Amino acid sequence: MITARGRFTYKRKVMEFAELIKTPRVDGVVLHRPFMPTVEGTLCLTGHHLILSSRQDNTEELWLLHSNIDSIEKRFVGSLGTIIVKCKDLRVIQLDIPGMEECLNIASSIEALSTLDSVSLMYPFFYRPMFEVIEDGWNSFRPEDAFKDLESMTDEWRLSEVNKDFSVCPSYPPLVAVPKDVDDDTLRKVATFRHGGRFPVLSYYHKKNGMVMMRAGQPLTGTNGRRCKEDEKLINATLRPGKRGYIIDTRTINVAQQAKARGGGFESEANYPQWRRIHKAIERSNVLQESLIKLVEACNDQSHSMDRWLSKLEASSWQTHVKEILTTACLAAQCIDREGASVLVHGTEGTDSTLQVTSLAQIILDPACRTIRGFQGLVEREWLQAGHPFQQRCAQSAYSNSKPRQEAPVFLLFLDCVWQILRQFPCSFEFSESFLVLLFEHAYASQFGTFLGSSTAERTKLSLPEKTVSLWSWVNRPQELERLTNPLYEANSLVIWPSVAPQSLLLWEGVFLRWNRSSKCLDEAYEEMVHIIEYNKELQNKVNSLRRQLAQLETEDPLLQMT
Amino acid sequence: MEHIRTPKVEQVRLLDRFSNKSTNGTLYLTATHLIFVESSSNNSASAGQEIWILHHHIASVEKLSLTTTGCPLVIQCRNFRVVHFVVQRERDCHDIYSSLLRLLRPVSYEELYAFSYNPKQNDQQREEGWQLIDLGAEFERMGVPCDQWQLTDVNRDFKVCETYPRDLYVPITASKPIIVGSSKFRSKGRFPVLTYFYQEKKAAVCRCSQPLSGFSARCLEDESMLQAISKANHNSRFVYVMDTRPKLNALANRAAGKGYENEDNYSNIRFQFVGIENIHVMRASLQKLLEVIGTRSLSMSDYLVGLESSGWLRHIKAVVDAAIFLTKAVTVEGASVLVHCSDGWDRTAQVCSLGSLLMDPYYRTIKGFMVLIEKDWISFGHKFADRCDQLDGDPKEVSPIFTQFLECVWQLTEQFPQAFEFSEWFLLQIHEHVHSCQYGNFLGNNQRQREELQLRERTHSLWAFLMSEKQNYLNPFYSPAYAEAHPVLAPSTLPYNFKFWRNMYHQFDRSMHPRQSILKTILTLRENSRKAESSLQALESRLQQLGVTPVTTSDPPAPPPTRDQLSNSNTLPPRPDSLILGAPINHKEVQRQEEDGDEQEELGEEAMESTDTERTVEGSSGTESRKQSYGELEGTYNSELAKEEPAVVSLEFGVARMTC
């Protein structure tokens, strides 16, 4: 079982892992999981997994990636040790290990293995797919293919190779869509004026009225009010004659003002007279991480007081963040669809709140993003290729004891917002909630290389497409797709406007209460729903085929119609 | 009609509660309803939207100070509808205001709608409607009378207790002197009687009011009464006495010569407080809740803080916790339980009925739920007239006790989506009619009063009406097999299991609802399947008639497998958290949504196929939001920008159109 999984290619690395594993195997370990029977069995540690299997029937009971472990706690009662394992997917499990030494060894091994610093030691580099890859996910969503779709709608944009060696903007992909009339030299100049070199690029083209959404890093105006004519030219090139556009700054005006002191800033009215700037208040990453930790703590508090629960939920501010992000996304979508105006979105770096807004706005505006494949494309374009630093943001989750560095549940908040819209339009998404949960899990710990690295440049350097398997390769197979499909889906070509009233937004139980309650009753009801839908489909098919048969008979023999 | 000063006012504006939208129309005042008819010039697609408001539903009318655009009139309804009119002329506004003030405060029962409402039924039909629910048969279903419990005629003439029904069930060993003596020792004479019998363990749920114990008084007959209840159950040596009040309240009552049972005086009892607050606390709590959720541009933080400080969900949880305590005592320990509060008609009714619902699957069916309400609420004298403010009475007597009960049931349906035959719509409809005074069932405070009012002869029964519309209230996920496998429900009362019931408290604020409803979709599919089944049959017989074998096998497809067939599949598909979404609709609304579809077409969107599935897809813009100035964009994104639907959708289930 272990050898099947661990056909390690690099002997040196095997040695490294072997040094970390002090006790590879312990018998008589008892596993406790919420709402599941306890299992007694043998605990095995491999370079990447914690495995527990019961000896009776030798079936797999638990395979846990070390990288999924957020933190552990040890407790001893006599010689019986207990390790509480807290996972990044928010699950908490308990292992009772006989023997103090074994327990200490296991604990220190898990700690070491779950905090490996080197990306190249991560499991995706060792994982070999046990399934047939129908389509290589690494090639499924290339910028040039997306651009072909754009070209079929408009000729106002071009695909620039200015960043092909990642020198202009390290966090951008090699190919980006920019206004046709803006040349690469201009782009290079603009890049020096935008945070992280993130010059404005096309994020979304609204087919209905030709309006666009762009995203960028903050302009580096500084305290002196520096300006950049090329920057002004670039974004003005996206405006129709006589039309105005909107700049949505995801920060409050105060935060944006303060950014000037550090060389950042925002577009002044004087230099951008054709643009109207709107400030919103999406929080920065460390605040969000704090919020997640508080929320998860509230959800795990099993005390029975209603007041305590509600006040903890409020104090976590998680729902406030959800509302703020959704509201901003709706605003961007409204500017485009209702006002018929183009929009530029940015915050500070343009890699976090900016992407939440641009991606959610597309969910609202573009029916294609609500399909399984379209949503993958959205995550590719607006998150992976757009340079959201997954490696840093998802290094730790809600249980980590170590001091947070760059961690933040930015992507999880985006998924939560999608889930809110899905709840309000349960028939308009091709995928079900489980797809969102799956993406959450894989963003934090995965056998696939998709979420490793923080930019296309890093992924190229790590040779991820050559050395690892893409999550999309796994997802885009019939059996997986079926599991992720929403049975209620019926294509809806309209713009979908969610309600952002607090009464309309809910706690995402599928993630935050997932391990705190039995979902048996809800699962069974869901199953019933699937059966009702399938039964109806089957009936309709039969009726139609009989109708056809009858109609055919009647055409063959017109006399039949008389009887 | 003499109270109506102005039957019709034109040029009235209806403001949306949560946005800046408004519609123009005409206001009509009839003997029973206030009607707003949207003028057709507004928008061809939404022409003729009508809102019918029954006078009895109006909780308050408020005339705000005159503005430049006219005179504002705010009407709050008991079904949580809030409408805000602006009448152009102050005099018209005043006329409507003063007419309504009189109309919404009827002084005698005869003025209530139920006495004039006529659904075109003959006397026989009406009589049959009243016979639908038979409590004698219900006790028989429980297995009563039996060797330990009997029917007593002691209250035949309402002499012992005038707020109890005529027929009461007591232990065989409780003689008349014991009953009468006990009743004298109980507040309002409400002595311990049987309300539910758990046949499997022969354990009884009994109810009463508080004892008049004061600081030291005791009553031998009352003690014998409890002894008799205890003896009637051989499974347990003791009987639980559940005082549903907080201990402090019970203590305070002692000073007034009332109080609670002293364990030293009663042999074999186990006494327990469960701490549900009184009607005044509940009234204030709901008021606070409605205030919070009625705030415009409410922030998430204020919402959650308000939800907490209103205490509403805490109270709901307290009632469910009490019902679970009762259920466990009866079904697990096999002990009999005596439940009381102060008078035994509010908290006692909540706990007894909710407890019965948890232990007996019958009460989770449509018919059974009617029986449950008839038994624990109507017949045992929950003071509907006072609590729901049917006549102009004491405002301190008004309290949402029954609403809380309905909400507790809704919270359970969220945890057990397959356990209930009815959907949320059934609960909403019952709530609607508890306040409508359109049917006789809930009029008055007790059985004696109802007989005096001759309700059975002069009014119609709600149960018959609901039964005739049963199809509308079915829960498509209901599984009788589930009920069989889970006769007793054991809900979790961890706080996060209690949710805000948006579809009740915002039932008329459509902008807050999910834009697509799973419940509605699945019900439609069910209906389609039924139609398909019959056309399949027709087609097959037609083909056979022609001497042709149908291309497909003549067997219809296998119906959805039952639970047992599924039980061994352990890989469950993913699921959404809640299956019950969306609010009830009537035909009118369906039509509206189809019209919305047209509107979208107008905008050049890809036209929606108007199939008979009635799947409503809502989304794209209404015309007015396109007219928004740039200035308005400065503010936060509001839901007003997010919908094309009319602000208010009539939800009367055809109720309103019956008369006038």
Side-chain angles (χ1 to χ4, degrees), chain B residues 210 212 214-215 251-259:
Chain B
Q210 63 185 336
L212 305 175
F215 290 102
L251 282 171
N253 264 299
R254 295 214 309 205
K258 300 162 188 172

Side-chain angles (χ1 to χ4, degrees), chain A residues 304-307 309-310 313, chain B residues 282 285-286 289 303-304 306-321 404 407-408 410-411 493-502 505:
Chain A
H304 285 255
S305 156
M306 179 63 75
D307 290 2
W309 156 247
L310 287 173
L313 180 64
Chain B
M282 299 309 189
S285 171
L286 180 63
L289 178 78
Y303 166 66
L304 290 172
L307 204 56
E308 183 202 334
S309 66
S310 76
W312 184 253
L313 288 177
R314 173 160 43 90
H315 300 315
I316 296 294
K317 175 170 147 55
V319 176
V320 178
D321 273 328
Q404 280 185 324
E407 174 164 342
C408 291
W410 175 78
Q411 301 280 2
T493 58
L494 280 169
Y496 49 66
N497 286 304
F498 294 88
K499 296 167 202 158
F500 170 66
W501 192 6
R502 181 191 48 215
Y505 305 106

